Every structure is written in structure tokens, then in C-alpha cells.
Amino acid sequence: MLAPACVLPSVSATSAPVRRIAHLDMDAFYASVELLRYPQLQGLPVVIGGARRRDDDALLSRHAGLPLAEIPVAEFPRLKDYAGRGVITTATYAARQFGVGSAMGLMKAARLCPQAILLPVDFEEYRKYSRRFKAVITEIAPVMEDRGVDEVYIDFTEVPGGQRDAGRSLARLIQKSIFDATGLSCSIGVAPNKLLAKMASEFNKPKGISVVLAEDLQALIWPLPCRKINGVGPKAEEKLKAQGIYTIGELATRDPAWLVKIFGRSYGAWLHEAAWGRDNRPVVTESEPVSISRETTFERDLHAVRDKAELGAIFTRLCERVAADLRAKGYVGRTIGIKLRYDDFRSITRDQTLEQATADVRTIRRAAGQCLQRADLTRRLRLLGVRVGALARADGSTPDTSRKEIPRHDPTALLFPDA
DNA sequence: TCTGGGGTCCTTTTCCTT
DNA sequence: TCTGAAGGAAAAGGACCC
């Protein structure tokens, strides 16, 4: 039963709608996509990662013709049989119980859980699902910011129904639509800005919907550790701890001038704003890449002189891949650079800016080769990378920044057919 | 015992020009 | 010719994120 508008003067036609920003995070994205393909692995410890690629997966060739869902569990490769470099990209909950998790070396993981099934990373497949769930979202709420393969921000503010139940209704609709279209679940946080929405989306995983209002700052945000702020990493966390600051609430009580002194003008001021839940960044629907790069870690450490031929072939291959990426995406770049990682894990970069932007393999290879000559090549190398920056559109065009059309009908009405 | 691959953004250093 | 300040661009490194 709706109250007449005349007794609700604050909701007049002239008052701006409350800013409602959603952060959507797919639940265990890579693992969930793999389980759609291999449902027989449900509940088993599965680890995704390693250097192997899908196309040389012996498992698939051996079972060519057999539906993937019918490949016997016993046939899947195990962590204990893996030899070589690499890290875990993600692990299922069943695998995490053994103490293995993202970013752990595979050799260490094999000791903790030798029987875990090891699947290679299949970015092509994840990107396919990524495009699908994002298409579902923009059908409903067009102002969406891409934040990588499994995450987006969505501006609910102007979407009809976006204000209903503080955004919960629209969040529920999006969740259901994504599940219906892909079989995948996600978590959504709705808040007055991106900073708080990102934190809110983690409150209720998986399949969660959380709303954080401006007045919830003290109760819901301040008790959290500073590390929960998107932008506070391990280094900043350590530095904060060293100052006796553990929670966001403790951070909020510190004098901004003091924070600036300790953390620098930009980062110190930002930390203070973040602790008070303030963030006015818009949801950005279009963006241009700044650089395109390719890098690879070798099977074994290589020496510039003793492994010259092998290194040269890898180097050329990297340049070719970067050039192909540039062409495929329609960009040229002026700044050519290389990245080296030595056997002691130290990394260095060298770069050089050309007169003319290019996407030509030979030009890239020549400039990158000159960069290489400026680096110390007496140590053994574990990684080599090639990068092209200062990008411009190859055809000289400027990006389309036209505003997204907001639908006029209320999509949440689907959830409330009687409303 | 190890520690991937793509990115962005910021700070500091270096180099060049005036 | 040397010295120094100032400012900008390019180069290098590092933190952070997914």
C-alpha cells in the first residue's frame, strides 16, 4: 500500500535519486566454469593452474569423442604427477581444506594434497562465460564498468526499479538472470559508491546480496581490517600495522595530515577518504588500453650467452605475439619495453620511445633488442617480457564516449508481477 | 621451497632544455 | 664555460588488482 506523494515531501520530483552503485563478483568463477564442463568433479579437490595448455591436455585427446561429462574421474591428471614450474590460479573449496590456495607453487601444493585433480587454465572458455554474464547485465542495467573477467560495477541509480528496497530487487533480478543464462552464481554488494560496494559484495559470499548504506559505515565497515579496502595491499597493511592501525575504524580516527606525512600526499589523503567511506569515482563504461604486453616464465632459468638460441627464439615469439595482439585490437604504440626477471626473482624493465607508433614485429623486435642490450645479462633469467605502451588507435579514430541509454520500463517488475 | 600473466596507476629518478 | 634552478618528458621501479 503506497502512501500518497503529498505526505512524502522528501521524495519530490526535484530531489535527485540516491546514488546506488553495485559491485558484482562471480562466485569461484574459473572453478565453477570447469565444473559446468566436468560435473563429475563436483565436491572433489580440484586445482586450476600450471603451465600446461588445454590444447596439449593428454586427457582430452585420449577421450576424444567421449562427452567431457563422462570422462571417468580416475582418468584426470593428479597434482602429484605434475613436474615443473607454475602456481595455482584457483582451487575448489574441497582443495582449500588441504591448505592449498591461489598463488601457491604447484610443487608445494602437491605435497599438501597429492591426489588433487589438476586442470589447466582455459582463459578462452572463461572469457566466453564472461561475455555472456556481462551481456545479461547490460540488458538490464546498461551503465556497467568492466573490472576484469569475473567482476563489474553497475550504476543502479537511474535504472527504473534500481532504488526499490535500496537496490536489493535489481540485484536479485540480475543474480537470477545470470544464473538462468549461464548456470553460474554471483555475489552483489550495493552501496553509495564503488569503494563500499566492493566491500559489501564480499559480505555474503556465495550467492549473497548485501546493502551498505551511508549510515552503516561505523557498524559494518569500521570493524574490518584495513586490508579489506580495495587499494590496501600487503605492503600498506604492514606499514599501517607498524603504526598500530589494524581496523578501518582506527584508520578513520587518524589525523589526515599525519597520514599524509607517513604515506605521502596522494596515498595518505586517499587512505583517510577511504576510511570514511568517501569515493566519488564514476562507473566508467568505456576505457582504452594503456599498454599491451606478453611475458613468459621459462621451464628452467636461461643464460643470455649459453642459451642464446633458445632465448632468441622466445624473444622473437613474444614480439610476434605482442604485434599480433596490437593488430587484433587495432592499436599501435610508441613506447617499446622489455621486462626481465633474474634467477633471484629481482625484476627490471627497460623501455624506449620511438618517433612513430608501430605494430610492426620487426620494429618492435629491433627496439626491444636495444632495450635488452641496456640490461645486465650476466645473471641467469627466469622470465622475459615484451611490452608496447603509449597506445593510439591504429586508424586514428577516437573512442566512442556516448552515454548509455537507460531503459524506461522497470525490469524488477518481473520479480513482482503483482506490484 | 617457491613465487603466473596481464594489466593500471603512482612515485622517484634521470636526462634534457631553457 | 661553468653553475644552478626549474620544468617536462621519458625511464625505472614498485604497489596493487584480477
Side-chain angles (χ1 to χ4, degrees):
Chain A
M1 166 72 172
L2 289 173
C6 58
V7 298
L8 288 167
S10 62
V11 196
S12 69
T14 52
S15 71
V18 180
R19 191 162 188 248
R20 306 244 186 241
I21 307 298
H23 179 261
L24 181 149
D25 202 1
M26 298 303 288
D27 298 323
F29 188 55
Y30 297 179
S32 302
V33 171
E34 294 295 350
L35 288 176
L36 288 176
R37 177 160 36 185
Y38 303 118
Q40 64 271 47
L41 302 182
Q42 198 85 44
L44 297 173
V46 177
V47 150
I48 299 168
R52 290 186 323 141
R53 297 220 314 279
R54 182 71 64 177
D55 54 12
D56 50 50
D57 194 332
L59 174 77
L60 293 181
S61 54
R62 204 159 357 124
H63 289 279
L66 194 63
L68 297 182
E70 288 173 25
I71 296 173
V73 170
E75 295 289 331
F76 282 84
R78 306 288 158 152
L79 207 40
K80 64 173 157 52
D81 302 320
Y82 182 83
R85 282 189 158 139
V87 293
I88 294 176
T89 301
T90 188
T92 60
Y93 182 68
R96 281 173 217 216
Q97 288 191 317
F98 290 88
V100 310
S102 303
M104 180 180 289
L106 286 177
M107 288 295 130
K108 183 175 175 185
R111 260 174 272 127
L112 291 167
C113 187
Q115 75 278 22
I117 288 158
L118 174 65
L119 296 176
V121 184
D122 185 355
F123 276 110
E124 254 331 293
E125 187 75 357
Y126 310 148
R127 266 195 289 270
K128 210 168 82 191
Y129 277 91
S130 182
R131 282 192 292 272
R132 271 199 232 164
F133 88 76
K134 286 167 190 170
V136 171
I137 294 169
T138 50
E139 275 290 301
I140 298 169
V143 183
M144 182 193 81
E145 176 176 333
D146 217 310
R147 295 301 303 188
V149 77
D150 71 337
E151 265 188 64
V152 295
Y153 288 103
I154 314 160
D155 196 334
F156 280 10
T157 313
E158 306 279 349
V159 178
Q163 297 287 343
R164 188 187 297 206
D165 200 12
R168 274 187 200 86
S169 301
L170 191 55
R172 215 172 299 138
L173 173 70
I174 289 173
Q175 233 178 18
K176 182 178 183 311
S177 306
I178 289 175
F179 185 79
D180 290 347
T182 66
L184 297 168
S185 75
C186 63
S187 296
I188 302 179
V190 188
N193 59 47
K194 293 208 276 190
L195 182 90
L196 294 174
K198 168 90 180 166
M199 291 193 251
S201 68
E202 283 198 36
F203 282 176
N204 235 341
K205 274 176 161 297
K207 302 180 189 178
I209 290 177
S210 307
V211 172
V212 170
L213 304 173
E215 56 265 36
D216 296 329
L217 185 73
Q218 289 195 38
L220 298 180
I221 303 297
W222 280 4
L224 302 174
C226 298
R227 186 64 222 267
K228 292 285 176 190
I229 299 172
N230 188 239
V232 174
K235 299 285 178 182
E237 184 189 35
E238 273 315 299
K239 206 166 159 185
L240 285 162
K241 279 183 179 168
Q243 300 291 339
I245 302 169
Y246 293 85
T247 67
I248 300 174
E250 287 164 356
L251 181 60
T253 65
R254 295 303 176 110
D255 176 29
W258 180 83
L259 286 170
V260 164
K261 205 171 74 194
I262 303 292
F263 290 94
R265 203 171 58 186
S266 163
Y267 197 63
W270 175 80
L271 276 176
H272 182 257
E273 290 298 290
W276 283 88
R278 293 193 281 257
D279 170 26
N280 54 21
R281 290 171 302 164
V283 173
V284 178
T285 56
E286 305 277 353
S287 71
E288 291 281 300
V290 172
S291 67
I292 288 174
S293 65
R294 288 282 183 163
E295 61 186 56
T296 186
T297 298
F298 314 134
E299 293 277 317
R300 60 181 180 91
D301 295 345
L302 298 177
H303 191 276
V305 179
R306 289 193 289 281
D307 304 301
K308 194 171 186 326
E310 197 175 347
L311 212 46
I314 293 169
F315 183 48
T316 301
R317 183 82 199 101
L318 287 168
C319 293
E320 286 166 356
R321 292 178 73 186
V322 170
D325 290 347
L326 284 165
R327 231 172 294 242
K329 293 173 181 167
Y331 288 94
V332 289
R334 276 185 68 213
T335 304
I336 314 295
I338 55 129
K339 170 172 159 184
L340 297 180
R341 177 123 73 211
Y342 294 108
D343 55 357
D344 62 358
F345 222 70
R346 272 184 316 118
S347 306
I348 63 135
T349 62
R350 291 292 179 269
D351 55 42
Q352 182 188 2
T353 300
L354 308 175
E355 289 282 314
Q356 289 271 329
T358 186
D360 174 60
V361 194
R362 295 180 53 190
T363 310
I364 292 170
R365 168 114 206 187
R366 196 178 324 118
Q370 287 167 3
C371 292
L372 216 42
Q373 285 170 10
R374 285 155 45 209
D376 173 18
L377 295 176
T378 57
R379 288 200 76 99
R380 291 157 73 84
L381 304 169
R382 77 158 13 234
L383 170 149
L384 177 61
V386 174
R387 197 182 78 97
V388 176
L391 300 184
R393 293 268 184 108
D395 59 9
S397 66
T398 47
D400 172 30
T401 54
S402 58
R403 254 181 78 80
K404 298 285 170 200
E405 203 58 46
I406 306 276
R408 272 196 296 270
H409 67 279
D410 177 354
T412 66
L414 295 169
L415 287 180
F416 305 94
D418 49 357

